[in-house]
Amino acid sequence: MLSCRGLCAGYGSVQVLHDLAIEVEEGEIVALLGANGAGKTTLLRTLSGLHRPSAGAIRFDGTALDGVAAEARVRRGLAHVPEGRRVFPGLTVRENLAVATSAWRRGRARIDGDLDRVFALFPRLRERAAQLAWSLSGGEQQMLAIGRALMSRPRMLLLDEPSLGLAPLLAEEVYARIRDINRGSLTVLVVEQNTVLALDVARRAYVLENGRIVLAGAAAELSRDPRVRDAYLGA
Ligand code: ATP
């Protein structure tokens, strides 16, 4: 469903991503692991069109994404949940979800139907529909950020560190919902520093170091790999 080849990106004269190649098959959850500064966020932003690569090719659902703007990628079914959630603090939960569709000029009935689907997945968001987003807990804001991405009816989600700043139980809850979303046929590429959680839900994983893929394979195998255990699992 998503692939990139020879992907290079950076900031000014600093190259961050070096000749990256990754693939995500339809229906998979794939994890992208790596320490701070490895380039994970830069890769997701490059895939979603928020950052321009200096070289390489990205394909999504059979077509090339070169020159395709970020909003057009969303319309094609590729949605991005950014690091740090970035919900609109002064809007209510319902408004945060609705703004994601306003640019599409959908009919009221369709928007209500999409809201219902998100609320069914995250019942706590329904209970807090009229609450301002700043007053939500970190876990609820993460669910809102994921819900907002789902409003665009994506086929694939790019998730940037969904466990960041969450207490362990909340992080597990967020990952349980990611699993539910995937069962509902959504493909997921998740960037994560919480290696245990990510390898638990993912089918395959890549490990990024200094902007290069240094390991790739089945998640179950990687979780037993001494290099992953020593560097990322604190074993
Ligand atoms: P983290 O887990 O800490 O978010 P990451 O793996 O997502 O790290 P990136 O945020 O992609 O890593 O950053 C990769 C490198 O690019 C870092 O050295 C960072 O300092 C640099 N970088 C990121 N954004 C910018 C920017 N806007 N301008 C200049 N350098 C940047």
Side-chain angles (χ1 to χ4, degrees), residues 11 16 35-42 83 161 193:
Y11 303 94
V16 172
N36 280 124
K40 305 182 299 297
T41 295
T42 303
E83 186 176 22
E161 294 207 38
Q193 283 199 45

Side-chain angles (χ1 to χ4, degrees), residues 109-131:
R110 291 187 72 193
I111 293 175
D112 284 348
D114 289 340
L115 278 171
D116 272 344
R117 280 190 308 119
V118 171
F119 287 150
L121 192 63
F122 300 114
R124 225 171 315 156
L125 294 183
R126 189 195 297 276
E127 290 164 22
R128 287 159 176 69
Q131 198 170 315

